[in-house]
């Protein structure tokens, strides 16, 4: 794997290695997949305004997320069923995140349990939560995540129903029989039935609560003292409601373009959300990040950090833990270089003035 020079190259290796049903599950988006393409393409509509002749011999990328110091603002998003990609699955991802001194978010639908992931050693970890119809299941999961040392809950708020992922319907997607959703194993919810369409869509229809609302965000705060991030916010209106309802942070996300097609890319939606929260809580972004330049653009638009999803599962499929480590290292190196070439020595020096977006009004050049 020495010849890999960027994050995107892992996708083709994963496509060649994985069974079609598994690759398609990881790679595809909803319906026409317009948002899937747009998540990437929108980054190219933002250009840099680099500042020159600044001493960039020392660059500090470290940051603090919910009070936890990490080495860089690049974190790992929750992605389901990682053992479909590699036998070590979430174990490998957890070790890679820890080695890079960054945060991993474990999916509710992981093929390793919260306890198993905690057993890999130290590291700051968040737990992504889907709210099941049976609230006892939810309370039990949250308690287990707390006991296992997880530091925050990332509540997914964009999935009252599963988006229409046509590749999964065509492939009649189901989890391979040798795997289980480990967090639900003892609750008889760990298996997925084979169906005539997507097994995951059927599972969600049976288990996930469509009535989820703001009152449940309040309820969650009564059962845990962990900070709650809301994952899946795309508008100023919901960003303000998130703050009013006690969210500790917001993840601007369109679920990797797997839920509602024709929503904007997250990098386009980001600024609206940042402006609405007015610095009251941190705002993060996931979706489409493949380059250090993408990370810089998100930070310049006001993000406190970004999360990567597909690059993790593709690199995991290609090369296990070493692949995930390499993805994190490449993004780190690219981001550091982007900072240097833009004249930024620390994250606080990255500003909106370092970029110009194609939706910006014409720039008035200040008179000297």
């Amino acid at each position: 794997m020495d010849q890999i020079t960027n994050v995107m190259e892992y996708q083709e290796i994963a496509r060649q290695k994985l069974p079609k049903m598994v690759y398609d599950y990881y790679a595809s988006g909803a319906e026409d997949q317009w948002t899937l393409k747009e998540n990437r393409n929108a980054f190219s509509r933002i250009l840099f305004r680099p500042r020159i002749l600044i001493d960039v011999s020392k660059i500090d990328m470290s940051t603090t997320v919910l009070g936890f110091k990490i080495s860089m603002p690049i974190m790992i998003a929750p992605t389901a069923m990682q053992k479909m990609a590699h036998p070590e699955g979430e174990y490998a991802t957890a070790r890679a995140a820890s080695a890079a001194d960054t945060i991993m978010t474990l999916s509710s639908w992981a093929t390793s349990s919260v306890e198993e992931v905690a057993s890999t050693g130290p590291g700051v970890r968040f737990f992504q939560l889907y709210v099941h119809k049976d609230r006892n299941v939810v309370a039990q999961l949250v308690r287990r995540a707390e006991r296992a040392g997880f530091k925050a809950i990332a509540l997914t708020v964009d999935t009252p129903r599963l988006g229409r992922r046509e590749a999964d319907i065509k492939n009649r997607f189901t989890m391979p029989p040798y795997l289980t959703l480990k967090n639900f194993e003892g609750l008889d919810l760990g298996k997925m039935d084979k169906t005539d369409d997507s097994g995951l869509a059927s599972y969600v229809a049976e288990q996930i609560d469509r009535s989820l609302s703001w009152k449940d965000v309040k309820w969650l705060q009564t059962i845990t003292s962990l900070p709650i991030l809301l994952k899946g916010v795309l508008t100023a209106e919901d960003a303000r409601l998130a703050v009013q309802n006690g969210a500790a942070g917001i993840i601007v996300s369109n679920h990797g373009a797997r839920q509602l097609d024709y929503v904007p890319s997250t990098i386009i939606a980001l600024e609206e959300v940042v402006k609405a929260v007015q610095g009251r809580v941190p705002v993060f972004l996931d979706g489409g990040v493949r380059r250090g330049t993408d990370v810089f653009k998100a930070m310049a638009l006001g993000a406190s950090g970004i999360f990567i999803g597909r690059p993790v599962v593709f690199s995991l499929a290609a090369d296990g833990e070493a692949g995930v480590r390499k993805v994190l290292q490449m993004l780190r190196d690219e981001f550091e270089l982007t900072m240097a070439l833009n004249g930024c020595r620390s994250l606080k020096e990255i500003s909106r003035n370092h970029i110009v977006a194609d939706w910006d009004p014409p720039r008035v050049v200040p008179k000297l």
Side-chain angles (χ1 to χ4, degrees):
M1 294 286 163
D2 289 346
Q3 75 285 20
I4 298 263
T5 54
N6 67 59
V7 167
M8 280 82 75
E9 288 173 0
Y10 278 114
Q11 182 160 356
E12 180 53 27
I13 297 169
R15 192 183 66 76
Q16 290 167 20
K17 272 187 123 166
L18 292 171
K20 180 174 161 48
M21 180 187 78
V22 172
Y23 173 78
D24 286 354
Y25 169 72
Y26 289 143
S28 64
E31 296 185 353
D32 299 330
Q33 304 192 114
W34 181 86
T35 298
L36 183 69
K37 295 187 266 291
E38 179 67 4
N39 266 356
R40 278 297 305 131
N41 293 340
F43 279 104
S44 66
R45 301 204 292 275
I46 302 166
L47 303 179
F48 295 124
R49 299 182 68 250
R51 301 302 305 275
I52 54 166
L53 294 173
I54 291 166
D55 176 356
V56 289
S57 54
K58 286 195 184 68
I59 290 192
D60 178 14
M61 288 178 283
S62 68
T63 188
T64 303
V65 171
L66 301 181
F68 299 98
K69 196 165 170 34
I70 53 174
S71 67
M72 58 181 175
I74 301 163
M75 298 165 282
I76 293 183
T79 49
M81 301 177 256
Q82 292 180 12
K83 282 187 182 175
M84 293 196 307
H86 188 275
E88 292 185 0
E90 294 84 2
Y91 286 78
T93 303
R95 290 193 295 261
S98 184
D101 192 15
T102 192
I103 292 166
M104 172 196 181
T105 316
L106 182 71
S107 170
S108 274
W109 296 337
T111 37
S112 314
S113 68
V114 287
E115 293 84 3
E116 288 172 333
V117 169
S119 77
T120 61
V124 180
R125 301 185 186 105
F126 295 171
F127 180 68
Q128 175 273 333
L129 182 68
Y130 284 113
V131 175
H132 280 237
K133 289 173 183 170
D134 182 346
R135 290 296 193 273
N136 290 329
V137 168
V138 180
Q140 213 171 313
L141 262 184
V142 169
R143 266 199 302 276
R144 282 172 56 197
E146 280 180 335
R147 273 205 301 270
F150 283 69
K151 302 300 185 199
I153 302 292
L155 176 67
T156 296
V157 293
D158 59 10
T159 312
R161 298 172 58 170
L162 202 71
R164 185 177 171 81
R165 306 166 190 178
E166 291 176 3
D168 291 348
I169 297 168
K170 271 196 176 63
N171 294 330
R172 299 185 173 183
F173 172 80
T174 188
M175 194 169 48
Y178 58 88
L179 293 175
T180 55
L181 300 178
K182 275 285 186 182
N183 288 314
F184 299 101
E185 206 171 29
L187 303 161
D188 285 340
L189 301 171
K191 284 290 179 195
M192 209 173 279
D193 298 326
K194 251 204 154 348
T195 62
D196 285 338
D197 50 21
S198 158
L200 185 64
S202 304
Y203 183 89
V204 169
E206 281 167 32
Q207 301 297 339
I208 302 305
D209 196 343
R210 294 183 182 186
S211 77
L212 188 70
S213 70
W214 291 105
K215 71 177 190 313
D216 298 293
V217 176
K218 290 283 201 202
W219 169 76
L220 201 52
Q221 291 166 69
T222 69
I223 67 159
T224 182
S225 57
L226 292 180
I228 296 162
L229 299 169
L230 295 195
K231 177 179 178 288
V233 174
L234 290 171
T235 63
E237 295 91 327
D238 284 336
R240 283 190 284 268
L241 283 167
V243 175
Q244 285 162 23
N245 283 278
I250 287 169
I251 303 171
V252 174
S253 172
N254 53 34
H255 211 115
R258 294 157 75 79
Q259 282 300 99
L260 180 61
D261 202 13
Y262 297 99
V263 294
S265 71
T266 50
I267 195 68
I268 300 279
L270 174 63
E271 200 164 24
E272 173 180 326
V273 172
V274 167
K275 285 177 172 165
V277 305
Q278 298 175 322
R280 290 173 291 181
V281 299
V283 176
F284 305 95
L285 170 139
D286 72 28
V289 174
R290 300 291 180 275
R291 284 278 189 194
T293 50
D294 301 335
V295 181
F296 187 99
K297 289 170 185 180
M299 303 296 281
L301 285 166
S304 291
I306 64 91
F307 290 87
I308 51 166
R310 287 188 183 89
V312 171
V313 287
F314 292 148
S315 59
L316 188 62
D319 201 18
E321 182 186 336
V324 182
R325 281 183 185 233
K326 180 142 191 191
V327 155
L328 291 167
Q329 188 61 49
M330 284 190 294
L331 284 174
R332 181 189 174 88
D333 291 345
E334 288 181 15
F335 179 52
E336 184 176 28
L337 181 59
T338 306
M339 283 179 68
L341 295 177
N342 271 296
C344 297
R345 293 160 294 198
S346 67
L347 301 188
K348 67 174 185 297
E349 290 187 350
I350 302 175
S351 76
R352 186 63 169 83
N353 288 329
H354 284 101
I355 57 165
V356 58
D358 71 354
W359 58 87
D360 287 347
R363 185 173 281 277
V364 179
V365 180
K367 288 193 168 63
L368 290 175

PDB file of all heavy atoms in Angstrom, residues 197-212:
ATOM      1  N   ASP A 197     -36.295  -6.538  -0.366  1.00  0.00           N
ATOM      2  CA  ASP A 197     -35.608  -5.295  -0.734  1.00  0.00           C
ATOM      3  C   ASP A 197     -34.397  -5.104   0.169  1.00  0.00           C
ATOM      4  O   ASP A 197     -33.561  -5.984   0.276  1.00  0.00           O
ATOM      5  CB  ASP A 197     -36.562  -4.093  -0.749  1.00  0.00           C
ATOM      6  CG  ASP A 197     -37.393  -3.977   0.533  1.00  0.00           C
ATOM      7  OD1 ASP A 197     -36.991  -4.546   1.556  1.00  0.00           O
ATOM      8  OD2 ASP A 197     -38.438  -3.290   0.492  1.00  0.00           O
ATOM      9  N   SER A 198     -34.272  -3.962   0.853  1.00  0.00           N
ATOM     10  CA  SER A 198     -33.128  -3.747   1.730  1.00  0.00           C
ATOM     11  C   SER A 198     -33.449  -4.263   3.125  1.00  0.00           C
ATOM     12  O   SER A 198     -34.413  -3.810   3.750  1.00  0.00           O
ATOM     13  CB  SER A 198     -32.782  -2.254   1.775  1.00  0.00           C
ATOM     14  OG  SER A 198     -32.048  -1.958   2.947  1.00  0.00           O
ATOM     15  N   GLY A 199     -32.624  -5.186   3.607  1.00  0.00           N
ATOM     16  CA  GLY A 199     -32.819  -5.706   4.960  1.00  0.00           C
ATOM     17  C   GLY A 199     -32.678  -4.624   6.014  1.00  0.00           C
ATOM     18  O   GLY A 199     -33.348  -4.646   7.033  1.00  0.00           O
ATOM     19  N   LEU A 200     -31.802  -3.634   5.729  1.00  0.00           N
ATOM     20  CA  LEU A 200     -31.606  -2.545   6.685  1.00  0.00           C
ATOM     21  C   LEU A 200     -32.854  -1.659   6.752  1.00  0.00           C
ATOM     22  O   LEU A 200     -33.278  -1.248   7.829  1.00  0.00           O
ATOM     23  CB  LEU A 200     -30.383  -1.698   6.312  1.00  0.00           C
ATOM     24  CG  LEU A 200     -30.024  -0.600   7.316  1.00  0.00           C
ATOM     25  CD1 LEU A 200     -29.625  -1.195   8.669  1.00  0.00           C
ATOM     26  CD2 LEU A 200     -28.914   0.292   6.789  1.00  0.00           C
ATOM     27  N   ALA A 201     -33.466  -1.395   5.589  1.00  0.00           N
ATOM     28  CA  ALA A 201     -34.683  -0.574   5.561  1.00  0.00           C
ATOM     29  C   ALA A 201     -35.784  -1.243   6.389  1.00  0.00           C
ATOM     30  O   ALA A 201     -36.515  -0.576   7.129  1.00  0.00           O
ATOM     31  CB  ALA A 201     -35.141  -0.349   4.127  1.00  0.00           C
ATOM     32  N   SER A 202     -35.888  -2.558   6.275  1.00  0.00           N
ATOM     33  CA  SER A 202     -36.900  -3.291   7.056  1.00  0.00           C
ATOM     34  C   SER A 202     -36.590  -3.216   8.544  1.00  0.00           C
ATOM     35  O   SER A 202     -37.489  -3.029   9.372  1.00  0.00           O
ATOM     36  CB  SER A 202     -36.950  -4.766   6.620  1.00  0.00           C
ATOM     37  OG  SER A 202     -37.180  -4.845   5.234  1.00  0.00           O
ATOM     38  N   TYR A 203     -35.309  -3.355   8.889  1.00  0.00           N
ATOM     39  CA  TYR A 203     -34.885  -3.290  10.291  1.00  0.00           C
ATOM     40  C   TYR A 203     -35.244  -1.930  10.888  1.00  0.00           C
ATOM     41  O   TYR A 203     -35.796  -1.832  11.984  1.00  0.00           O
ATOM     42  CB  TYR A 203     -33.374  -3.544  10.379  1.00  0.00           C
ATOM     43  CG  TYR A 203     -32.815  -3.566  11.789  1.00  0.00           C
ATOM     44  CD1 TYR A 203     -32.773  -4.761  12.518  1.00  0.00           C
ATOM     45  CD2 TYR A 203     -32.312  -2.415  12.392  1.00  0.00           C
ATOM     46  CE1 TYR A 203     -32.252  -4.795  13.805  1.00  0.00           C
ATOM     47  CE2 TYR A 203     -31.791  -2.431  13.684  1.00  0.00           C
ATOM     48  CZ  TYR A 203     -31.759  -3.634  14.381  1.00  0.00           C
ATOM     49  OH  TYR A 203     -31.253  -3.662  15.665  1.00  0.00           O
ATOM     50  N   VAL A 204     -34.929  -0.863  10.129  1.00  0.00           N
ATOM     51  CA  VAL A 204     -35.211   0.494  10.605  1.00  0.00           C
ATOM     52  C   VAL A 204     -36.714   0.703  10.781  1.00  0.00           C
ATOM     53  O   VAL A 204     -37.162   1.263  11.772  1.00  0.00           O
ATOM     54  CB  VAL A 204     -34.607   1.553   9.638  1.00  0.00           C
ATOM     55  CG1 VAL A 204     -35.114   2.946   9.955  1.00  0.00           C
ATOM     56  CG2 VAL A 204     -33.084   1.525   9.732  1.00  0.00           C
ATOM     57  N   ALA A 205     -37.490   0.219   9.808  1.00  0.00           N
ATOM     58  CA  ALA A 205     -38.950   0.389   9.874  1.00  0.00           C
ATOM     59  C   ALA A 205     -39.512  -0.289  11.126  1.00  0.00           C
ATOM     60  O   ALA A 205     -40.433   0.225  11.765  1.00  0.00           O
ATOM     61  CB  ALA A 205     -39.592  -0.182   8.617  1.00  0.00           C
ATOM     62  N   GLU A 206     -38.925  -1.434  11.487  1.00  0.00           N
ATOM     63  CA  GLU A 206     -39.412  -2.168  12.669  1.00  0.00           C
ATOM     64  C   GLU A 206     -38.933  -1.543  13.980  1.00  0.00           C
ATOM     65  O   GLU A 206     -39.659  -1.514  14.966  1.00  0.00           O
ATOM     66  CB  GLU A 206     -38.903  -3.620  12.622  1.00  0.00           C
ATOM     67  CG  GLU A 206     -39.668  -4.520  11.692  1.00  0.00           C
ATOM     68  CD  GLU A 206     -38.915  -5.830  11.466  1.00  0.00           C
ATOM     69  OE1 GLU A 206     -38.204  -6.296  12.393  1.00  0.00           O
ATOM     70  OE2 GLU A 206     -39.026  -6.375  10.350  1.00  0.00           O
ATOM     71  N   GLN A 207     -37.692  -1.065  14.001  1.00  0.00           N
ATOM     72  CA  GLN A 207     -37.047  -0.738  15.278  1.00  0.00           C
ATOM     73  C   GLN A 207     -36.952   0.751  15.608  1.00  0.00           C
ATOM     74  O   GLN A 207     -37.007   1.131  16.773  1.00  0.00           O
ATOM     75  CB  GLN A 207     -35.621  -1.321  15.310  1.00  0.00           C
ATOM     76  CG  GLN A 207     -35.553  -2.827  15.138  1.00  0.00           C
ATOM     77  CD  GLN A 207     -36.240  -3.583  16.262  1.00  0.00           C
ATOM     78  OE1 GLN A 207     -36.432  -3.058  17.358  1.00  0.00           O
ATOM     79  NE2 GLN A 207     -36.641  -4.816  15.985  1.00  0.00           N
ATOM     80  N   ILE A 208     -36.745   1.587  14.594  1.00  0.00           N
ATOM     81  CA  ILE A 208     -36.414   2.997  14.864  1.00  0.00           C
ATOM     82  C   ILE A 208     -37.688   3.834  14.974  1.00  0.00           C
ATOM     83  O   ILE A 208     -38.633   3.649  14.211  1.00  0.00           O
ATOM     84  CB  ILE A 208     -35.466   3.546  13.768  1.00  0.00           C
ATOM     85  CG1 ILE A 208     -34.189   2.695  13.698  1.00  0.00           C
ATOM     86  CG2 ILE A 208     -35.123   5.012  14.020  1.00  0.00           C
ATOM     87  CD1 ILE A 208     -33.424   2.547  15.011  1.00  0.00           C
ATOM     88  N   ASP A 209     -37.686   4.754  15.919  1.00  0.00           N
ATOM     89  CA  ASP A 209     -38.893   5.507  16.263  1.00  0.00           C
ATOM     90  C   ASP A 209     -39.115   6.698  15.328  1.00  0.00           C
ATOM     91  O   ASP A 209     -38.341   7.645  15.323  1.00  0.00           O
ATOM     92  CB  ASP A 209     -38.785   6.007  17.715  1.00  0.00           C
ATOM     93  CG  ASP A 209     -40.119   6.458  18.266  1.00  0.00           C
ATOM     94  OD1 ASP A 209     -41.046   6.682  17.447  1.00  0.00           O
ATOM     95  OD2 ASP A 209     -40.243   6.580  19.488  1.00  0.00           O
ATOM     96  N   ARG A 210     -40.197   6.628  14.561  1.00  0.00           N
ATOM     97  CA  ARG A 210     -40.532   7.719  13.639  1.00  0.00           C
ATOM     98  C   ARG A 210     -41.092   8.938  14.372  1.00  0.00           C
ATOM     99  O   ARG A 210     -41.218  10.009  13.792  1.00  0.00           O
ATOM    100  CB  ARG A 210     -41.592   7.261  12.626  1.00  0.00           C
ATOM    101  CG  ARG A 210     -41.097   6.192  11.687  1.00  0.00           C
ATOM    102  CD  ARG A 210     -42.161   5.836  10.660  1.00  0.00           C
ATOM    103  NE  ARG A 210     -41.674   4.760   9.806  1.00  0.00           N
ATOM    104  CZ  ARG A 210     -42.320   4.314   8.738  1.00  0.00           C
ATOM    105  NH1 ARG A 210     -43.481   4.846   8.389  1.00  0.00           N
ATOM    106  NH2 ARG A 210     -41.818   3.335   8.011  1.00  0.00           N
ATOM    107  N   SER A 211     -41.472   8.748  15.615  1.00  0.00           N
ATOM    108  CA  SER A 211     -42.089   9.874  16.347  1.00  0.00           C
ATOM    109  C   SER A 211     -41.050  10.757  17.045  1.00  0.00           C
ATOM    110  O   SER A 211     -41.402  11.697  17.749  1.00  0.00           O
ATOM    111  CB  SER A 211     -43.098   9.334  17.384  1.00  0.00           C
ATOM    112  OG  SER A 211     -42.405   8.830  18.518  1.00  0.00           O
ATOM    113  N   LEU A 212     -39.771  10.436  16.853  1.00  0.00           N
ATOM    114  CA  LEU A 212     -38.683  11.196  17.493  1.00  0.00           C
ATOM    115  C   LEU A 212     -38.861  12.705  17.292  1.00  0.00           C
ATOM    116  O   LEU A 212     -39.097  13.160  16.176  1.00  0.00           O
ATOM    117  CB  LEU A 212     -37.337  10.758  16.906  1.00  0.00           C
ATOM    118  CG  LEU A 212     -36.088  11.309  17.601  1.00  0.00           C
ATOM    119  CD1 LEU A 212     -35.908  10.679  18.977  1.00  0.00           C
ATOM    120  CD2 LEU A 212     -34.841  11.059  16.752  1.00  0.00           C
TER     121      LEU A 212
END
